[in-house]
Amino acid sequence: MRRRDEESFLAFAAARSRSLFRSACVLCSGDQHLAEDLVQETLGRLYARWSRMRHVDNPAAYAQTVLVRTFLTYRRRRSNDELPTSTVPDAAQAAEPDAPLRVTLLGAMGQLSSQDRVVLLLRYWQDRSVEETAEILRIRPGAVRNRSMRALERLRDLLGCELAELVHH
């Protein structure tokens, strides 16, 4: 890679890493370690193609698309050897004012299928259109609408009155 392209990539990665990480956290239901891995994999894939990125109209949107596809590939593989544990080894970070709401929402999102999480992330977290979401996921716009509706319904069922209690306090 030429020096100018490398500098351009480093500037892009520095500017977009935080946004990619936030999206990855939503996709991973708050699993920050997996989110970091997904962002690293995404940036690695972008780096490999960066010299050809001059032809991409919106590199930030392309990066989000690569992140979503990387997450879906990971979910399909699920060949990792990690096992969940009941204890958390890391110390807790300082809570934000809406931390209980975030924890509740991320927990409920974690109970949805990976496809449902991706659709909700793209449509409502990133505020993408039905058509953009369909293009990223390589499905029909009608399928996006249907999945969005059903995913929101499942999310409401999972949250029940718990969400109302958190929002009004």
Side-chain angles (χ1 to χ4, degrees):
M1 181 182 286
R2 294 185 320 211
R3 180 174 167 85
R4 188 176 66 209
D5 285 340
E6 189 165 335
E7 289 173 0
S8 169
F9 173 78
L10 291 174
F12 175 83
R16 300 302 307 166
S17 291
R18 188 169 173 86
S19 174
L20 288 169
F21 179 71
R22 283 193 308 266
S23 295
C25 279
V26 171
L27 289 173
C28 300
S29 303
D31 183 342
Q32 293 182 2
H33 299 292
L34 179 55
E36 289 170 351
D37 290 346
L38 289 175
V39 170
Q40 183 177 0
E41 177 72 21
T42 298
L43 291 174
R45 289 179 183 190
L46 289 172
Y47 181 80
R49 297 177 184 207
W50 194 253
S51 61
R52 291 175 267 159
M53 291 290 288
R54 286 184 220 107
H55 306 294
V56 175
D57 292 335
N58 188 345
Y62 183 77
Q64 290 288 341
T65 299
V66 172
L67 175 71
V68 166
R69 290 184 181 157
T70 302
F71 168 73
L72 290 173
T73 299
Y74 167 79
R75 294 299 294 179
R76 272 187 233 110
R77 268 191 317 229
R78 298 272 329 224
S79 63
N80 63 14
D81 296 330
E82 295 179 19
L83 298 173
T85 179
S86 61
T87 59
V88 180
D90 299 332
Q93 295 179 352
E96 296 178 26
D98 63 349
L101 177 60
R102 283 178 174 258
V103 168
T104 301
L105 285 173
L106 287 174
M109 290 282 286
Q111 294 179 46
L112 298 175
S113 72
S114 56
Q115 284 286 336
D116 286 348
R117 271 185 273 163
V118 168
V119 167
L120 292 180
L121 169 89
L122 293 171
R123 290 283 295 125
Y124 303 106
W125 181 272
Q126 294 182 0
D127 199 29
R128 300 226 182 200
S129 70
V130 169
E131 291 73 22
E132 287 174 318
T133 302
E135 184 179 326
I136 289 169
L137 297 177
R138 298 177 183 158
I139 59 176
R140 295 183 325 270
V144 170
R145 286 186 202 93
N146 191 22
R147 187 170 286 279
S148 296
M149 179 186 67
R150 289 186 179 166
L152 285 173
E153 186 177 307
R154 281 188 210 110
L155 195 58
R156 286 184 196 108
D157 288 344
L158 287 169
L159 292 171
C161 61
E162 188 176 354
L163 182 61
E165 292 171 5
L166 288 170
V167 171
H168 294 298
H169 280 89

